[in-house]
Amino acid sequence: MKVSVIVPAYDEEAVIGRCLEALARQRMPAAEIIVVDNNSADRTAEVAAAFADHGVRVVREARQGAVHARNRGFDEACGDVLGRIDADTVVGPEWVAGVAAAFAADSATGLAPDAVTGPSWFYDVPLRRIGLSAHRFFCHRLNRLLSGHAMLWGSNMALSRQGWHRVRAHTCAAPGIWEDLDLAVHLSRLGMRVRYVDGLRVPVSARRIGASVGELYSYLRAWPRTYRLHGQRRAAWGAAVCLLIGLVLLRPCSLLVRAHTPYDGRLSPMRLLRRSSAARPLP
């Protein structure tokens, strides 16, 4: 089974090298690694191109937005399975093999899943076990409770090639939505199977949580908006309530994140005096 890995990237010079180094150290090498440069103004494409000897290919997508970058990467890929992570994801050496194994047919049904996903923890802040537990609950269990179907986590997911071709025309490109949640909604509506694999864990940066309250709200409001766009009113209301509660709960977490240097987790209390320690967000 060939696994392609797609990494959408927008101004990710600070993290893309570490991400690709981790992909280059896989026990089971990926068939290809596609970095989709989405109009970066920094050295993202140059850093990624330096990994050409490790199977990395850089393509450019002029239409701005994570959904367009993701679609371009999936369309370009040649693998039987299309993995997708973010540029700040640092996968362990067994990740590609774990993705391939997750697509094995279920012994009870004889059917393989159409997509797989797993949880994450934050590598640049302390209390990693708490972060993992929070991610399991908020990103996977809570969304399943609200919507009645599985969630996909864009930093740690994969689709079968056939599954992508089936769902491709149904996905939405509206601005201000979560493209991974949109994809999960359409997979569910088409009766396609998503397998959550708890052991398929990846570390990611907590940089977005370290943003200002305004920036964090701007990001999180896409959660209920995505549900509303798909007519899931109950899920949208639930997500809106959780968003407001989450902003209160995330404030002390934001201060904790801002007190640590992004990407390496070193304690730096002087960073609290800055307005925001978040890196430039994905569009």
Side-chain angles (χ1 to χ4, degrees):
M1 179 181 292
K2 296 194 300 181
V3 178
S4 298
V5 182
I6 291 83
V7 187
Y10 171 63
D11 283 359
E12 299 286 13
E13 175 186 353
V15 293
I16 191 71
R18 188 175 179 184
C19 171
L20 298 178
E21 286 174 0
L23 287 172
R25 294 194 297 266
Q26 293 298 293
R27 178 179 64 81
M28 172 184 167
E32 61 181 346
I33 302 166
I34 301 175
V35 174
V36 185
D37 178 28
N38 197 203
N39 299 314
S40 297
D42 64 3
R43 297 178 58 254
T44 295
E46 182 180 342
V47 173
F51 287 83
D53 291 343
H54 296 283
V56 174
R57 178 162 59 99
V58 179
V59 299
R60 290 173 173 80
E61 175 51 57
R63 291 172 296 175
Q64 196 67 51
V67 64
H68 299 299
R70 179 204 67 192
N71 292 357
R72 177 66 184 276
F74 282 3
D75 290 343
E76 291 268 347
C78 66
D80 306 301
V81 170
L82 312 178
R84 185 259 200 258
I85 61 174
D86 284 331
D88 64 357
T89 305
V90 184
V91 298
E94 302 292 328
W95 187 78
V96 170
V99 166
F103 277 90
D106 187 284
S107 58
T109 65
L111 299 174
D114 298 292
V116 300
T117 192
S120 293
W121 50 272
F122 301 117
Y123 58 71
D124 46 5
V125 291
L127 306 176
R128 294 176 178 177
R129 289 188 178 182
I130 293 177
L132 175 62
S133 297
H135 186 274
R136 283 194 193 108
F137 176 75
F138 287 104
C139 292
H140 294 284
R141 294 172 185 167
L142 182 57
N143 272 290
R144 181 181 286 276
L145 178 65
L146 292 173
S147 65
H149 60 73
M151 172 63 172
L152 287 173
W153 174 236
S155 296
N156 182 19
M157 55 164 281
L159 273 72
S160 68
R161 184 177 182 83
Q162 294 86 351
W164 171 242
H165 288 165
R166 185 178 171 193
V167 76
R168 171 76 165 87
H170 298 271
T171 58
C172 302
I177 65 171
W178 283 354
E179 48 87 16
D180 46 5
L181 178 54
D182 168 74
L183 185 58
V185 169
H186 291 292
L187 287 171
S188 174
R189 289 181 173 178
L190 292 172
M192 300 170 73
R193 298 171 299 280
V194 176
R195 176 178 291 171
Y196 171 80
V197 181
D198 191 69
L200 193 68
R201 305 172 184 177
V202 300
V204 298
S205 174
R207 55 182 176 165
R208 199 181 292 276
I209 298 176
S212 68
V213 173
E215 291 167 331
L216 192 57
Y217 173 74
S218 179
Y219 169 67
L220 290 176
R221 67 182 179 182
W223 183 16
R225 175 183 169 84
T226 306
Y227 281 130
R228 284 196 300 271
L229 178 68
H230 296 87
Q232 296 180 314
R233 295 183 180 180
R234 184 179 70 87
W237 275 107
V241 171
C242 292
L243 184 158
L244 295 176
I245 297 172
L247 286 175
V248 175
L249 296 177
L250 284 174
R251 186 55 184 164
C253 297
S254 176
L255 295 175
L256 176 65
V257 172
R258 290 174 61 183
H260 290 78
T261 306
Y263 319 130
D264 62 18
R266 290 181 298 174
L267 183 63
S268 179
M270 291 300 294
R271 292 179 56 81
L272 291 173
L273 301 178
R274 303 179 186 178
R275 177 177 175 270
S276 172
S277 64
R280 187 176 181 181
L282 291 172

